[in-house]
Amino acid sequence: SSSTSISSSSPASLVTQLEKSSIANLLDDRISAAMSHIDKLRLRVQDTSSKVLVTGDLNAGKSTFVNAILRRNVMPVDQQPCTTAFCEVHDARDNGGKEELHILKEGVTYDVNNDSTYTRAGISDLEQFVSENENEQQMLKVYLSDARPSTESLLSNGVVDISLIDAPGLNRDSVKTTAVFARQEEIDVVVFVVSAENHFTLSAKDFLFTASNEKAYLFIVVNKYDQIRDKAKCRRLILEQIKQLSPRTFDDAEDLVHFVDSASALQNSTSSFDTLESALRSFVLVKRAKSKLTPATTYLSHLLS
C-alpha cells in the first residue's frame, strides 16, 4: 500500500541507515558551539560598564566641564600644562557608598576590595596631590556620591555603570598618551572640550583625526561660548572644522556637538548644559544598546527560530 512506501523512505529509516554516533557528534558540536556563543553574549550583556574619556585643549576648561557634569567642584581647575594625572570618577556605590580618592600603585592591578593595590585619601586632597605630582603619570580613582535622582545623574543613572575619566589636557607630550588611552577597548565615548575663543589647535586636530578613525563617535563640547560676541559666526567656523576632522560627528552634530559655558552651568543650571547632559547620558545608554544588546538579540532570535 502507499503508506508503507512512504514509511520506507521516512527520516526514521534513514537514521537507522546512517551511523547513529556520527549524528550524535554533529548535534553535540552544534549545541556546544551555540552554548559557548551564548556564554560570550551573556558576559557582554552583563558588562554594564561604560567609560567616558574627557580630554581637550589646554585652557579649554576641561576640568570645569567635568565639575559641571558632576555638579560640584572636585577637579582642580587651574592645572599646569604638565599635569599628567588620569582621574577616573566613579559612583561612590562602587566603593561601599564612601566618597574617597584611591591612588593606584604602579605595576599592581587595581582592585577596590584589596587595600594593598592603592592608597586611600580624601576627596579634598585631590587638588594638592595633583599639583605635587605634576610630572608623574598617575592613575587616580575618585568615588563620588550624586544626590540627584537617577534620571538626571550621569554616574548614578540606574542603568549603566558610567565612569568619567578626566584625562590630561593636550600638549605636545600628552597627545600620544591620551590618544593611546582613547584607543582602549573599554572607552565607549570620547568627549572633547574645545574653547569657543581659540577653536581647534594643531594638537586637537591631530588627536581628533586619530580618535575619529578609531571611534566613530566623538562628543564635542565647545566651552566658554557665553563670552563670544558673534555666536553665529563662531558656530559656523567650528562646525566647518568638525566636518573636516570627523564627518560622522558633523552629520550628527545636533546630538554630538554642544555650545555651552561650563563655568556658568556650575553656578546654576543652564538650558544648553542640561541639553548636553541628557544628550551625553542617552548617547552612552543608547550606544550601549546598539553595540552590546543588538547583536545578542539578533543571535538569540536566529537560534530560536
Side-chain angles (χ1 to χ4, degrees):
S1 71
S2 62
S3 64
T4 52
S5 64
I6 289 173
S7 71
S8 64
S9 61
S10 71
S13 64
L14 281 174
V15 168
T16 51
Q17 290 156 27
L18 282 170
E19 209 178 314
K20 282 186 179 152
S21 64
S22 62
I23 292 180
N25 289 341
L26 195 69
L27 267 175
D28 254 6
D29 289 350
R30 293 296 288 274
I31 290 171
S32 54
M35 290 299 288
S36 77
H37 197 97
I38 286 174
D39 255 354
K40 284 184 192 131
L41 288 178
R42 184 177 56 93
L43 288 172
R44 192 159 182 195
V45 171
Q46 274 177 343
D47 168 29
T48 59
S49 61
S50 260
K51 291 191 177 182
V52 178
L53 181 81
V54 183
T55 185
D57 276 324
L58 290 173
N59 306 324
K62 176 180 60 70
S63 297
T64 310
F65 165 75
V66 174
N67 287 337
I69 281 272
L70 300 170
R71 289 287 191 270
R72 55 194 278 194
N73 280 306
V74 181
M75 294 301 160
V77 171
D78 51 351
Q79 292 181 358
Q80 295 309 302
C82 46
T83 302
T84 54
F86 283 86
C87 293
E88 192 168 319
V89 188
H90 291 263
D91 189 357
R93 286 180 309 184
D94 299 344
N95 187 41
K98 272 215 316 254
E99 292 205 326
E100 230 172 15
L101 170 63
H102 290 179
I103 300 152
L104 274 57
K105 294 187 177 171
E106 224 178 311
V108 185
T109 307
Y110 171 74
D111 174 4
V112 67
N113 300 313
N114 180 351
D115 281 13
S116 69
T117 63
Y118 58 89
T119 311
R120 292 175 200 270
I123 299 291
S124 52
D125 304 328
L126 180 62
E127 187 149 2
Q128 189 185 352
F129 180 82
V130 169
S131 65
E132 283 173 6
N133 295 278
E134 270 174 3
N135 301 315
E136 294 159 49
Q137 196 181 321
Q138 282 283 344
M139 287 294 295
L140 308 171
K141 301 264 181 183
V142 184
Y143 292 93
L144 293 180
S145 297
D146 192 336
R148 289 176 292 167
S150 60
T151 47
E152 291 167 25
S153 167
L154 185 73
L155 289 182
S156 174
N157 57 65
V159 186
V160 178
D161 310 322
I162 294 179
S163 55
L164 263 185
I165 301 172
D166 186 358
L170 297 184
N171 59 22
R172 238 189 7 254
D173 304 329
S174 70
V175 168
K176 286 191 180 66
T177 326
T178 307
V180 165
F181 212 85
R183 243 178 246 141
Q184 292 186 357
E185 206 162 62
E186 70 266 26
I187 303 288
D188 289 317
V189 182
V190 174
V191 176
F192 195 88
V193 183
V194 60
S195 152
E197 297 155 336
N198 310 333
H199 298 198
F200 296 95
T201 62
L202 283 173
S203 299
K205 288 179 178 171
D206 193 29
F207 174 81
L208 285 169
F209 189 71
T210 315
S212 67
N213 286 336
E214 288 284 333
K215 301 253 182 288
Y217 293 109
L218 296 167
F219 200 91
I220 295 178
V221 176
V222 185
N223 205 9
K224 305 183 183 180
Y225 189 57
D226 287 5
Q227 286 96 298
I228 300 292
R229 274 208 309 274
D230 189 343
K231 290 188 165 49
K233 183 184 176 189
C234 167
R235 188 178 275 266
R236 194 185 73 243
L237 291 173
I238 282 188
L239 285 168
E240 278 172 11
Q241 288 183 306
I242 291 170
K243 189 176 186 174
Q244 290 164 351
L245 294 168
S246 175
R248 280 186 279 193
T249 305
F250 174 80
D251 290 342
D252 218 347
E254 202 148 303
D255 289 333
L256 299 180
V257 182
H258 295 267
F259 294 81
V260 297
D261 204 282
S262 303
S264 50
L266 248 177
Q267 306 311 313
N268 39 47
S269 202
T270 63
S271 62
S272 60
F273 202 89
D274 290 350
T275 308
L276 176 156
E277 198 163 23
S278 65
L280 183 58
R281 267 183 53 119
S282 68
F283 181 62
V284 177
L285 302 182
V286 170
K287 186 171 183 302
R288 182 178 175 273
K290 278 189 192 158
S291 67
K292 293 191 175 164
L293 302 181
T294 316
T297 325
T298 317
Y299 179 76
L300 291 175
S301 56
H302 282 333
L303 194 66
L304 291 170
S305 65

